[in-house]
Amino acid sequence: MIDRRRLETGGFITFLVAITIALCVVVSSFAAALLWSALAAILFQSLYQWLLKRWPERRNLAAALTLLIIFVAVIVPTLFIGSLVVDQSASVYAKLQSGQINFGAYFQQIHDAMPNRIQGALDKAGLNSFEQAQSRVSTILGNSVRSIAGQALSIGRNAAAFLLSFGVGLYVTFFLLRDGDKVGPAIRRALPFEHSVAEKLVDKFVAVVRATIKGSVIVGLVQGALGGLTFWLVGVPAALLWGLLMALTSLLPALGPAIVWVPVAVYLLATGAIWQGVVVIVSGVVVIGLADNILRPILVGRDTGIPDYVVLVTTLGGIEMVGLSGIVVGPLVAALFLTAWQILTEQRHAQRSEPALIPSHSTDPVRPE
């Protein structure tokens, strides 16, 4: 009887694993859409609950209004900005192909404008060959811009697939908003963990999602917008594209948008555009830099407990593996990893601290009655 029960249990677990893998394969084409649907449902659940209080018996209406707000306030501006980025990316890509944009030539202009001592230091560092240095800079920066431009253009070529995923995402978001208060507890109960462990993992999942989107993504968009506006004011071409680059690089701790605006400021100063370079530096340090320090504590509200270097590595790794969704996936995996090991450590410490099950005999003398 016991062997039969073990066989049945093992067979059911095998079937469960196999059918779960099969489901993941079936919906893999919509993985990104489903991920962002879940993230949107988590982020805007409070808005849905606020609307539901006004119409307690009309869950469909509250979910539909929440979805409409998401569409008008988030999706429409994103699509509009995305179309502008695609146009600028196509323009930059065409200029790269025709040779109108030559990062190697820009590097040579900067090198020639530097003082002799700095030029000597660059020569000692192995950058005395203009051709080699120009080739390196042109290859690195050129490939980066080509990659962004290529991905932006691929969205236009795959418009049908994009629209299909977009529609699926909106459809799923509606039901996740409406039934989120049921889906969340059901997932928590279905996890094969102790109740306390499942509670901690789910809480960490929600906290990291909200912190990443409300903190990193919104702050990144603000910094990118400020950087793009600064570049537009000083006359840098394709300012919106560079603003998008600053928004993406703002997700990287310790580096941030300075990866983009510092080289531009150096180039402007080295080529005689003094006031433009000074404006970029002041905006980068004062405006763009302080936006992170002011907005992030307000939007995040609490620390996710992930070290900056872990966020940096996992964000880069996530983007490399799954594209833009890696902005959230990378730190999320890191947070769950750290939380799981923290739970394991706490459980082992608690087991070691438990008192012995067999009570020791008392050595106290018996008091006479």
Side-chain angles (χ1 to χ4, degrees):
M1 179 64 70
I2 296 178
D3 292 338
R4 180 180 178 182
R5 182 174 298 176
R6 288 180 178 176
L7 179 63
E8 291 174 348
T9 303
F12 176 72
I13 293 175
T14 302
F15 170 77
L16 183 62
V17 172
I19 200 65
T20 302
I21 295 175
L23 178 64
C24 293
V25 172
V26 169
V27 302
S28 60
S29 299
F30 303 100
L34 295 176
L35 172 65
W36 286 101
S37 297
L39 299 180
I42 292 173
L43 188 62
F44 290 94
Q45 187 63 217
S46 58
L47 175 60
Y48 166 74
Q49 293 297 335
W50 181 80
L51 293 173
L52 188 61
K53 290 180 180 179
R54 299 178 63 88
W55 299 284
E57 303 299 328
R58 308 187 68 177
R59 300 175 67 90
N60 288 334
L61 176 62
L65 288 176
T66 305
L67 194 62
L68 179 62
I69 293 173
I70 295 173
F71 185 81
V72 174
V74 178
I75 297 176
V76 171
T78 301
L79 293 177
F80 175 73
I81 295 174
S83 64
L84 297 179
V85 171
V86 169
D87 292 339
Q88 292 195 358
S89 299
S91 175
V92 172
Y93 187 77
K95 291 180 180 179
L96 283 170
Q97 294 289 79
S98 63
Q100 290 179 277
I101 296 179
N102 188 341
F103 289 110
Y106 299 156
F107 177 83
Q108 183 174 358
Q109 290 179 340
I110 295 174
H111 184 280
D112 293 343
M114 289 181 176
N116 294 331
R117 291 184 179 180
I118 298 180
Q119 291 186 20
L122 291 176
D123 295 342
K124 292 180 180 179
L127 298 178
N128 54 346
S129 173
F130 285 157
E131 292 77 10
Q132 184 178 3
Q134 291 172 22
S135 176
R136 290 179 183 177
V137 174
S138 180
T139 300
I140 294 173
L141 297 180
N143 288 342
S144 300
V145 175
R146 286 191 183 96
S147 176
I148 295 173
Q151 291 182 10
L153 293 174
S154 67
I155 295 176
R157 290 194 295 265
N158 301 324
F162 173 76
L163 290 177
L164 179 60
S165 297
F166 182 73
V168 169
L170 289 179
Y171 184 76
V172 173
T173 302
F174 172 83
F175 288 100
L176 290 179
L177 285 169
R178 191 191 68 177
D179 304 325
D181 54 349
K182 300 177 182 178
V183 174
I187 293 175
R188 187 178 304 168
R189 290 192 301 268
L191 291 176
F193 307 126
E194 297 179 7
H195 177 74
S196 60
V197 174
E199 195 82 20
K200 289 182 180 179
L201 291 176
V202 172
D203 290 345
K204 177 60 70 173
F205 177 89
V206 174
V208 171
V209 167
R210 288 176 175 169
T212 302
I213 296 179
K214 290 175 63 177
S216 301
V217 174
I218 295 179
V219 171
L221 291 176
V222 171
Q223 290 184 309
L226 294 173
L229 179 61
T230 301
F231 280 13
W232 176 75
L233 290 175
V234 300
V236 175
L240 189 61
L241 179 60
W242 298 118
L244 176 62
L245 280 175
M246 280 187 275
L248 294 176
T249 55
S250 68
L251 301 170
L252 305 178
L255 302 176
I259 299 176
V260 178
W261 66 259
V262 168
V264 172
V266 171
Y267 170 75
L268 292 174
L269 293 175
T271 54
I274 304 300
W275 75 266
Q276 293 93 333
V278 172
V279 168
V280 170
I281 293 175
V282 172
S283 176
V285 174
V286 177
V287 180
I288 301 175
L290 290 181
D292 180 80
N293 298 329
I294 295 175
L295 292 178
R296 193 179 298 274
I298 297 175
L299 295 173
V300 177
R302 60 175 176 172
D303 188 12
T304 59
I306 310 176
D308 285 346
Y309 66 90
V310 176
V311 175
L312 174 62
V313 174
T314 55
T315 300
L316 292 175
I319 294 175
E320 177 70 22
M321 180 173 294
V322 297
L324 188 61
S325 300
I327 294 171
V328 178
V329 173
L332 180 59
V333 171
L336 294 178
F337 171 82
L338 295 176
T339 303
W341 277 100
Q342 181 182 1
I343 292 173
L344 177 62
T345 303
E346 292 175 354
Q347 288 181 342
R348 294 183 64 182
H349 179 72
Q351 291 175 357
R352 293 174 181 175
S353 302
E354 288 179 356
L357 297 178
I358 303 177
S360 58
H361 295 287
S362 177
T363 57
D364 294 337
V366 179
R367 295 182 180 180
E369 298 182 359

